[in-house]
Amino acid sequence: MNYYAASLPMKDEEKSKKYRHDHLAYLEEMEEQGKVFAKGRFTDGAGGLVIYQADSLEEAEALVKADPYVEKGARNYEVHEWTMVLVGDKPQS
């Protein structure tokens, strides 16, 4: 299982407010399934970031596209495979 960073930049602030509950419920469901490693909003209001756990980029992108924020047009998205390096660890090449 790999990590995938999904940036969710703001597209429509009103839709973002309207679908916030649905978005958070979706992420909670994904957490229960072990698909979300970390999540949070950007403090400047520009959007948020979700770190998904998935077997492939395609699976991660499908998870992002199923997020109500993306489905309803509240947020854009960008997904990249992410290698976690903890402080003190040496990055692998």
Side-chain angles (χ1 to χ4, degrees):
M1 186 124 352
N2 299 315
Y3 295 106
Y4 296 88
S7 175
L8 299 169
M10 187 67 67
K11 182 177 180 181
D12 185 316
E13 194 169 340
E14 288 304 312
K15 285 183 179 179
S16 189
K17 288 177 185 175
K18 181 176 181 178
Y19 297 112
R20 179 173 170 74
H21 175 77
D22 296 337
H23 163 73
L24 294 176
Y26 175 75
L27 290 182
E28 186 175 317
E29 181 183 330
M30 292 301 99
E31 283 181 58
E32 290 171 3
Q33 294 179 26
K35 297 293 184 182
V36 172
F37 174 74
K39 65 184 188 302
R41 64 180 184 88
F42 299 135
T43 58
D44 64 0
L49 180 74
V50 180
I51 307 295
Y52 286 98
Q53 294 182 97
D55 291 324
S56 67
L57 178 59
E58 293 77 19
E59 179 188 358
E61 190 164 9
L63 293 170
V64 174
K65 286 180 177 180
D67 185 325
Y69 267 175
V70 174
E71 282 185 331
K72 304 292 187 181
R75 303 287 177 94
N76 288 315
Y77 74 90
E78 192 172 306
V79 182
H80 299 276
E81 188 168 1
W82 181 66
T83 301
M84 179 175 44
V85 178
L86 300 174
V87 175
D89 286 352
K90 293 183 181 181
Q92 298 179 4
S93 4

